[in-house]
Amino acid sequence: MRVVRPVLSRRTLLRGAGAAMALPFLEAMMPGARAADRASRPKRLQVFYSPNGMTMPGFQPAETGAGFALPPTLEPLAPHRENFSVISGLGHPQAAAMGDRPAGHGRSCPAFLTGAHARQTEGPDIRAGISMDQVFAAHLGDATPLASLELGIDQASLLGSCDINYSCAYTNGISWLTPSVPLPVEANPRAVFERLFGDGDMDEAGRLAQLRRQSSILDFVMEDARRLSGELGMEDRRKLDEYLDATRAIEKRIQRSAASPATAQAGSLEQPAGIPGDFAEHVKLMIDLQVLAMQADITRVGTFMIGRELSNRTYPEIGVPDSHHMLSHHGNNPEKMAQLGKINRYHMEFFAYYLQRMKDTRDGEGSLLDRTLVIRGSAFGDSNEHDFMDLPVVVAGGLAKGGRHLRVEKGTSMSNLMLAGLQSLDVPAESFGDSTAALRDAIDG
């Protein structure tokens, strides 16, 4: 006897006791489409950003093409050689002064994803451009519950620690909804989790009950989950169980962080409940939330800043007691450059963790990484010189050719790469930022 499985809408939710949560992409949402599985999966865009530039000799491979030797900063990516490529020579001409007063971070950071020249101002009349991620989000429309997710590690700075003559808005984030509206970065994992699963779909009574009982959102929806699981095929049941387990694990980590609020490294301000005191745990938790959001198709667009531009964070856990920004202006001192190189490599280890998490998370017959374009970079190459014309850029994921080092003519606008990326994401764009032509070689090979 033929068993008829239910056909589920992509907007199907698990519900219960005033709570609701999205489902991962299941085969039951795509009946009869297994043969065209890969092509029918949604495409995604992720951007991973490190502040304060790089020690380029430790990042940039000596050889071009395939089989290049991994320099020290890129060594953590060794397990993912075929999933990423290094693109050398890209820059942002719009980060130049163009008659404005001297500055570096305040112009380069907003140019990173917009290809636009930031207006010099410390007031509210900020202006840059629409960022690549938001162009893609606008193209997707209401395909997902959240248009995009902007995550980071550092809380926004409103006073101090901002580039002279430039508003803090220019260095707090990299995502711009419009030329005058930068999108805020969320650094608190509890707030991110509630945005993904609690806001809008959990009524006030349910939220209060959850807080009183310190229970998981899964406790509210498990009855519905068990009912649905009994109607699914074996592969979908496995995928649903994997998703629920991952959600439960993240909740527990957030609850542990909230129970023991830590003290921020800089100064004596107490961190908000939900932010882990351990930097590595904080970064991995935010990455896991980003992956979970992609897995559940809550959004297909995400940016992650492992530190805000001009970050003065210290890294005693890896033997770097001096501040990141101070070390980025090393004056070619070998000891300071070595310390900065440690930070660069440390940040790359978390990017490797991100790639592994995306690889390990199934999406149909493949993984989340298979249908994602990932851009990883910084607003500077040589941070000591505030060099914005030779950036450390990596493209990764299944939507771009991997396993090579491509060197383009130095000074080629990074907007050309972003235009090619948008086209690979099926956005019918003919230009972006200050692009001159789509750099298809960086995507297609």
Side-chain angles (χ1 to χ4, degrees):
M1 184 177 71
R2 182 167 178 249
V3 178
V4 179
R5 302 293 184 189
V7 177
L8 300 179
S9 163
R10 284 294 296 118
R11 295 302 182 96
T12 301
L13 301 174
L14 295 176
R15 297 187 179 277
M21 64 182 293
L23 287 170
F25 205 106
L26 302 174
E27 301 299 333
M29 297 168 179
M30 217 172 40
R34 179 173 290 273
D37 176 79
R38 175 180 283 262
S40 62
R41 298 289 167 181
K43 294 182 177 181
R44 306 173 185 87
L45 171 66
Q46 295 276 279
V47 181
F48 192 105
Y49 181 87
S50 287
N52 300 332
M54 286 272 180
T55 50
M56 292 301 282
F59 169 85
Q60 199 167 71
E63 310 92 352
T64 57
F68 61 90
L70 291 172
T73 299
L74 293 180
E75 285 177 353
L77 300 185
H80 310 288
R81 284 195 68 112
E82 299 309 310
N83 301 112
F84 78 92
S85 290
V86 179
I87 314 296
S88 296
L90 295 173
H92 265 315
Q94 296 300 316
M98 298 183 182
D100 292 339
R101 294 179 181 178
H105 304 266
R107 282 194 300 266
S108 294
C109 185
F112 180 72
L113 270 191
T114 68
H117 184 75
R119 174 184 289 165
Q120 180 183 294
T121 179
E122 294 180 337
D125 56 331
I126 56 174
R127 189 169 186 85
I130 302 173
S131 55
M132 175 197 183
D133 58 311
Q134 293 308 303
V135 172
F136 181 46
H139 169 73
L140 293 175
D142 62 353
T144 56
L146 293 181
S148 60
L149 198 57
E150 294 74 41
L151 304 186
I153 295 302
D154 297 328
Q155 302 280 29
S157 177
L158 301 179
L159 294 172
S161 297
C162 301
D163 212 357
I164 188 169
N165 301 316
Y166 284 82
S167 166
C168 292
Y170 289 127
T171 49
N172 281 335
I174 56 174
S175 186
W176 289 70
L177 181 64
T178 72
S180 59
V181 180
L183 292 175
V185 169
E186 180 56 66
N188 191 326
R190 178 183 289 279
V192 177
F193 192 89
E194 290 178 354
R195 186 180 179 198
L196 295 180
F197 301 113
D199 287 352
D201 288 318
M202 177 175 283
D203 58 28
E204 191 61 24
R207 188 185 300 279
L208 289 175
Q210 182 181 7
L211 289 173
R212 274 198 307 270
R213 289 153 46 182
Q214 285 294 297
S215 56
S216 162
I217 189 173
L218 297 180
D219 294 336
F220 292 91
V221 301
M222 280 309 295
E223 183 176 346
D224 196 27
R226 283 190 288 268
R227 176 198 59 77
L228 178 62
S229 181
E231 300 175 356
L232 298 175
M234 182 179 297
E235 177 62 17
D236 276 351
R237 286 200 302 271
R238 184 207 59 76
K239 185 179 292 186
L240 178 61
D241 289 343
E242 180 184 82
Y243 171 65
L244 296 177
D245 288 344
T247 304
R248 177 81 76 180
I250 289 175
E251 279 191 319
K252 288 180 178 178
R253 288 158 67 193
I254 292 172
Q255 288 169 356
R256 285 198 301 269
S257 298
S260 301
T263 300
Q265 283 188 340
S268 59
L269 294 176
E270 190 177 75
Q271 292 183 345
I275 294 184
D278 181 75
F279 176 78
E281 169 62 12
H282 190 186
V283 175
K284 289 182 178 180
L285 186 52
M286 300 304 276
I287 289 173
D288 289 347
L289 284 165
Q290 190 82 281
V291 172
L292 194 64
M294 300 291 142
Q295 183 181 11
D297 205 30
I298 295 173
T299 187
R300 298 172 190 171
V301 186
T303 58
F304 177 71
M305 296 182 75
I306 201 167
R308 66 180 295 275
E309 197 62 39
L310 288 161
S311 168
N312 278 311
R313 181 181 293 275
T314 62
Y315 295 87
E317 67 270 31
I318 58 169
V320 181
D322 296 326
S323 81
H324 187 181
H325 182 226
M326 185 193 75
L327 289 171
S328 74
H329 295 286
H330 46 70
N332 295 317
N333 180 301
E335 292 182 6
K336 291 183 177 180
M337 292 179 70
Q339 294 286 82
L340 181 60
K342 286 184 179 181
I343 296 175
N344 295 159
R345 182 184 174 110
Y346 191 41
H347 286 180
M348 198 64 70
E349 289 173 3
F350 293 110
F351 184 58
Y353 173 82
Y354 163 79
L355 292 179
Q356 191 63 54
R357 288 285 292 109
M358 291 287 282
K359 271 186 179 180
D360 291 342
T361 304
R362 292 196 187 182
D363 183 45
E365 295 181 347
S367 72
L368 282 181
L369 192 61
D370 291 338
R371 297 285 287 174
T372 302
L373 174 64
V374 185
I375 296 177
R376 193 250 190 264
S378 177
F380 293 123
D382 181 355
S383 56
N384 189 61
E385 300 295 334
H386 280 173
D387 179 13
F388 48 81
M389 293 304 288
D390 191 8
L391 304 178
V393 177
V394 168
V395 293
L399 297 184
K401 183 176 180 180
R404 67 206 171 110
H405 173 210
L406 174 67
R407 182 175 284 124
V408 301
E409 183 179 353
K410 187 173 180 179
T412 300
S413 175
M414 188 169 165
S415 294
N416 290 357
L417 169 66
M418 291 188 282
L419 176 58
L422 287 170
Q423 292 176 355
S424 75
L425 293 164
D426 302 325
V427 178
E430 297 183 359
S431 65
F432 175 81
D434 63 347
S435 65
T436 57
L439 189 61
R440 296 300 312 181
D441 284 352
I443 303 296
D444 301 332

